[in-house]
C-alpha cells in the first residue's frame, strides 16, 4: 500500500476476527529481514514474514485452481476422444 508501506497479504477469511492489518509486514521490514538473513541456502521467501501468507495462498487458492484446470483439460481430452472414437 503506497501510504502505509504494508504488503497486501492473503489470509483465511474464517480467521478475520483475529487478523490485524497493522501487524502486516511492511516493505521496509521485508528488506531488513532479507538483509539480516543474508544469501545462503533456501528460498528468500522462507526468510521473511511473508512465508505463511504465501503458503496459505498456494494451498488455499493456487493448488485447487491448478487441480481444477488439470481436471478440465483431462475432461476435454476425454470428450474429444469419445466424439472421435479414439479411446
Amino acid at each position: 500500500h503506497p501510504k502505509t508501506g504494508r504488503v497486501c497479504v492473503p489470509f483465511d477469511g474464517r480467521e478475520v476476527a483475529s487478523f490485524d492489518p497493522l501487524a502486516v509486514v511492511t516493505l521496509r521490514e521485508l528488506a531488513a529481514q532479507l538483509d539480516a538473513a543474508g544469501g545462503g541456502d533456501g528460498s528468500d521467501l522462507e526468510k521473511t514474514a511473508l512465508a505463511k501468507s504465501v503458503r496459505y495462498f498456494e494451498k488455499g487458492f493456487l493448488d485447487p485452481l491448478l487441480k481444477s484446470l488439470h481436471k478440465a483439460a483431462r475432461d476435454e481430452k476425454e470428450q474429444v476422444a469419445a466424439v472421435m472414437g479414439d479411446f
Side-chain angles (χ1 to χ4, degrees):
H1 187 274
K3 196 171 188 179
T4 65
R6 298 200 184 283
V7 177
C8 180
V9 295
F11 65 93
D12 188 342
R14 295 171 293 194
E15 298 176 9
V16 70
S18 63
F19 179 73
D20 180 6
L22 298 178
V24 173
V25 68
T26 65
L27 291 175
R28 187 170 292 177
E29 292 168 340
L30 279 175
Q33 290 170 1
L34 290 170
D35 288 344
D41 295 335
S43 107
D44 285 344
L45 174 63
E46 294 302 322
K47 300 171 187 173
T48 70
L50 281 182
K52 180 181 174 185
S53 295
V54 171
R55 279 194 304 272
Y56 172 75
F57 183 67
E58 290 172 342
K59 299 291 183 215
F61 180 74
L62 291 180
D63 289 350
L65 176 63
L66 288 174
K67 185 177 179 180
S68 173
L69 291 174
H70 287 290
K71 182 184 181 318
R74 184 183 66 237
D75 291 350
E76 184 178 345
K77 285 181 184 178
E78 288 176 2
Q79 185 178 15
V80 168
V83 169
M84 301 290 281
D86 188 22
F87 292 83

